Amino acid sequence: MPRRRQGTELPFMGKLDRTKGELGRQLTLVLREAIRAGELKPGESLPSTRYLAGTIGISRGLVTNAFEQLIAEGFLEAQAGSSTRVSSSLSAVPVSTAQRRARKPAAAPKLPPRAAAFAEAARQFTPLPPVPFAVSVPIGPTSPDDTWRKLGNRTRGLRAAAPSGYDDPQGVPALRAAIADYVRKSRSVHCAPEQVIVTAGTQQGLYLACQILLEPADLAWVEDPAYRGITGILEATGAGERMMRVPVDESGIDVDAGIRAAPHARVAFVTPSHQYPLGMPLSMARRTALVTWARENGAWIVEDDYDSELRYVGHPFPSLQGLAPDRTIYLGTFSKILFPSLRLGYAIVPEHLVPAFCGARGLMDRHPPSADQHTLAAYIAEGHLDRHIRRVRLVYAERRQHLISTIEARIPAKRAWLQPGDQGMHVVLWLADGIDDVAVAAKAMESGVAVRPVSPLYTPGRRRPGLILGLGGYPDAQTEEAVNRLGAVIATAARARNSSARRTVA
């Protein structure tokens, strides 16, 4: 049963008017109305008469009289040796029409454009439930092993790992050193620990980059289709009209098309290791062309190194940052490869941009939680992250192959087919023309299957219907059942499309 602590303040006591006198009667009225309005809930404890009298500055006798009156009316109840409470029987008391009218909120004011854009982003970033095929849901063999818990317990026992004051907005030195060493060996990134800024995931890194690199009149290249996280930031911060969407083909972002559309753009936001959502890497010829354009125009490249750890055939391309460390802001995260709630990532920036990123980081949320940084630093330095990635890569490779074969066997190719690819945490399932992927995703959710539609990631004139299916540690039987349910939803949508086409012809 809910309780109020003895010293809890009651804000509605501010309604007492000492100029009108009869404070005891006023107190009775105020408490009665607070109970009726739901400011005090059934079963909640009130402060003691002594405490309440002292806080509002009236005699204890007046408070006692008010309590006794409300007990007699059935609003309060008292038991020997216990505090006075709001009567639990009031939970069934109906609310009068007058009270409902009084409580009815006024019509919400129209949101300013930027507030409306943020509200839309909140809707689109609602997390999917942990069922197939939500992206990056660590289950079973894809979850970090017990080593993470043990390291967490160890580091939290150290005073340095749990400081009581503010910490460095750039991140703790041990983690920055571990990250610099990790990306050097695994991604051919050229940096020193002093260039690493620890972030709350890639999303914060993108937000910081937009705030720091773009002036009000600057143009930015963004892939088409693109991760909703970057397009949403630019739209919500008023830069949507200055976002130049550059088409993506089998070789990645079309640099020549970007130059034709906006040769003097200030920033190019790219996912060169594993284009999101389509999955192809940026070819070496396109990488060279992108770096050449950036150098010649004094532009920046923001490299979101999405899913670079999970290539299942051959070796991954090295980072783009290694080709142009002076023009590239390199973003990575541990939230997907470990677990999304970790919220730890990093930005690696040219030395002269470090103060700007640290300042913006400090203004945003001071610094990331220190204890988890120390745990992650130990996890990387002691080799656990490398072992975890190898394990996850094997599990995802098996799950991916099983998912592909199940889809090909159970969903007819005339309705849906898979985008070729050999890396990443998700696959793209294209849908036949005329099938509404947004509606299919909503119906799939009703059937217990979590997918994301592809078409909203494109500009309106280039949209294609498709679904993003994430890999995870789901058992084969659960995956097969989810494919069956998804196939049934797609079949229903295809029949509806065919029926509509026949009516149009008739």
Side-chain angles (χ1 to χ4, degrees):
M1 181 176 292
R3 293 177 59 91
R4 285 188 181 272
R5 293 190 301 274
Q6 191 80 342
T8 298
E9 302 297 333
L10 303 176
F12 49 81
M13 288 298 173
K15 298 176 182 178
L16 294 177
D17 187 349
R18 298 181 182 279
T19 64
K20 292 183 178 180
E22 297 186 303
L23 288 176
R25 180 173 174 275
Q26 286 191 57
L27 177 60
T28 304
L29 290 172
V30 167
L31 287 171
R32 185 188 293 123
E33 289 306 313
I35 294 169
R36 284 174 171 167
E39 294 179 76
L40 288 172
K41 302 291 185 183
E44 284 190 323
S45 297
L46 271 68
S48 70
T49 56
R50 185 186 303 278
Y51 177 83
L52 191 54
T55 56
I56 61 179
I58 65 175
S59 72
R60 185 181 179 190
L62 290 178
V63 177
T64 301
N65 290 340
F67 278 23
E68 289 176 349
Q69 177 63 31
L70 292 173
I71 290 171
E73 294 176 8
F75 285 96
L76 300 180
E77 57 189 16
Q79 296 177 352
S82 180
S83 60
T84 302
R85 303 171 183 273
V86 179
S87 177
S88 56
S89 63
L90 292 176
S91 57
V93 174
V95 179
S96 69
T97 303
Q99 287 173 319
R100 277 196 295 270
R101 289 199 192 104
R103 292 185 197 176
K104 186 177 180 180
K110 183 179 179 181
L111 291 175
R114 185 171 293 190
F118 279 122
E120 176 62 15
R123 185 189 66 80
Q124 294 175 341
F125 275 81
T126 301
L128 295 176
V131 298
F133 298 98
V135 177
S136 186
V137 178
I139 296 176
T142 62
S143 301
D145 57 26
D146 201 43
T147 302
W148 179 267
R149 181 186 61 80
K150 292 178 180 177
L151 284 176
N153 292 340
R154 188 182 81 191
T155 57
R156 283 175 172 80
L158 302 173
R159 178 181 290 270
S164 57
Y166 290 114
D167 218 328
D168 188 341
Q170 192 169 351
V172 302
L175 179 56
R176 289 190 280 118
I179 289 171
D181 192 52
Y182 167 72
V183 296
R184 175 185 60 80
K185 292 186 293 186
S186 65
R187 304 295 302 124
S188 298
V189 169
H190 298 230
C191 73
E194 292 74 22
Q195 294 173 253
V196 179
I197 292 91
V198 178
T199 65
T202 298
Q203 188 64 40
Q204 188 180 64
L206 289 170
Y207 199 95
L208 290 170
C210 290
Q211 294 293 310
I212 293 165
L213 302 179
L214 287 171
E215 294 296 327
D218 289 339
L219 300 177
W221 289 7
V222 177
E223 297 167 327
D224 191 14
Y227 171 51
R228 190 70 184 102
I230 181 58
T231 58
I233 290 172
L234 293 171
E235 290 166 0
T237 54
E241 294 181 356
R242 301 191 304 281
M243 176 171 51
M244 307 305 298
R245 299 299 296 273
V246 183
V248 169
D249 59 23
E250 65 277 0
S251 298
I253 189 171
D254 187 340
V255 178
D256 289 340
I259 293 173
R260 289 193 297 270
H264 302 298
R266 181 66 168 168
V267 185
F269 293 92
V270 293
T271 51
S273 293
H274 182 233
Q275 200 279 332
Y276 187 89
L278 303 186
M280 72 285 291
L282 186 62
S283 70
M284 287 306 300
R286 294 272 177 88
R287 288 168 184 250
T288 301
L290 182 61
V291 169
T292 299
W293 164 78
R295 289 195 186 283
E296 290 179 350
N297 289 275
W300 299 103
I301 300 169
V302 177
E303 177 181 9
D304 177 357
D305 203 22
Y306 176 71
D307 269 3
S308 62
E309 304 93 345
L310 298 176
R311 187 173 179 89
Y312 307 115
V313 178
H315 295 284
F317 281 104
S319 71
L320 191 60
Q321 191 268 5
L323 298 177
D326 59 325
R327 305 306 311 170
T328 304
I329 289 80
Y330 177 90
L331 305 178
T333 184
F334 298 102
S335 296
K336 284 189 169 59
I337 198 66
L338 287 170
F339 48 93
S341 63
L342 179 61
R343 308 314 311 145
L344 282 178
Y346 48 92
I348 295 174
V349 307
E351 290 181 18
H352 61 284
L353 284 179
V354 170
F357 271 81
C358 288
R361 181 73 172 84
L363 288 174
M364 183 171 288
D365 62 352
R366 285 284 189 169
H367 61 80
S370 301
D372 283 344
Q373 290 187 73
H374 284 276
T375 302
L376 181 56
Y379 196 77
I380 298 171
E382 296 177 18
H384 304 297
L385 179 64
D386 288 336
R387 288 189 286 273
H388 174 73
I389 290 174
R390 288 195 295 270
R391 183 174 70 251
V392 169
R393 188 183 294 129
L394 290 173
V395 172
Y396 279 175
E398 294 174 357
R399 296 291 189 266
R400 177 178 175 275
Q401 188 54 52
H402 181 254
L403 175 60
I404 290 171
S405 60
T406 304
I407 288 173
E408 291 176 343
R410 304 190 185 194
I411 300 180
K414 64 180 180 180
R415 295 177 186 158
W417 58 94
L418 290 162
Q419 166 78 24
D422 58 9
Q423 69 182 89
M425 288 186 171
H426 74 268
V427 297
V428 171
L429 182 67
W430 294 115
L431 302 178
D433 288 342
I435 296 179
D436 186 343
D437 59 344
V438 176
V440 167
K443 286 294 183 182
M445 182 66 73
E446 295 175 5
S447 300
V449 179
V451 294
R452 298 277 192 191
V454 173
S455 64
L457 306 181
Y458 280 95
T459 48
R462 300 188 68 244
R463 286 180 175 171
R464 295 179 60 188
L467 302 171
I468 298 172
L469 281 63
L471 306 176
Y474 306 107
D476 289 351
Q478 191 176 4
T479 296
E480 292 165 9
E481 176 59 24
V483 170
N484 289 341
R485 294 181 184 181
L486 181 60
V489 172
I490 294 172
T492 299
R495 287 193 293 269
R497 175 205 57 180
N498 294 339
S499 177
S500 176
R502 284 194 295 269
R503 285 196 300 270
T504 300
V505 171

